[in-house]
Amino acid sequence: MKPFTDADIVKECMLQSVNVLFENKKEIVETFRHIPISASTNTRNTEVLAKDNHNQLKQDPSTADFYSIALDESCDITNISQLIIYVRYLSNISGTFYKELLTLLLLSGTSKGNDLYNTVVLYFETENLNLKKLSLLQPMVHQR
């Protein structure tokens, strides 16, 4: 799969749309034609959006009265243990419940309960997330 290399196709579609929408305004068409949409630009923009999304996700639970997290630990094909943290909270702003993927962390060493706990606490401290608002910690249950 090549997620960032289809930029030329996207740009061509965008230019066709602009030509139809603004056929009498050549300066607008030329402005769109000069927008850089290379694979590296797409990668950079995606990284910026992902970082902004993660920062927003870290801020939203802090506006809630309480939140809970769910943990899921597994190994990838290279046998590296990974810990996924989901966050659940009721937004005081929208009044909506959210369940979002907060982060994926690599675990060094073992994946015993104490290691998972220390990894979660370190992540929350590093990201300035308030552990006092944490009301529930539950493991993810896999159904087979």
Side-chain angles (χ1 to χ4, degrees), residues 78-92:
T78 61
N79 253 0
I80 296 174
S81 293
Q82 300 172 340
L83 178 67
I84 297 174
I85 303 176
Y86 294 91
V87 64
R88 297 175 182 154
Y89 61 96
L90 172 65
S91 170
N92 287 334

Side-chain angles (χ1 to χ4, degrees), residues 71-111:
L71 306 177
D72 188 14
E73 184 271 337
S74 66
C75 291
D76 66 6
I77 60 173
T78 61
N79 253 0
I80 296 174
S81 293
Q82 300 172 340
L83 178 67
I84 297 174
I85 303 176
Y86 294 91
V87 64
R88 297 175 182 154
Y89 61 96
L90 172 65
S91 170
N92 287 334
I93 297 167
S94 68
T96 305
F97 279 100
Y98 291 95
K99 176 186 173 188
E100 300 288 339
L101 171 65
L102 182 61
T103 191
L104 178 130
L105 303 171
L106 299 179
L107 296 172
S108 58
T110 66
S111 56

Side-chain angles (χ1 to χ4, degrees), residues 73 81 107-119:
E73 184 271 337
S81 293
L107 296 172
S108 58
T110 66
S111 56
K112 296 178 182 175
N114 195 39
D115 297 323
L116 298 178
Y117 173 81
N118 290 334
T119 300

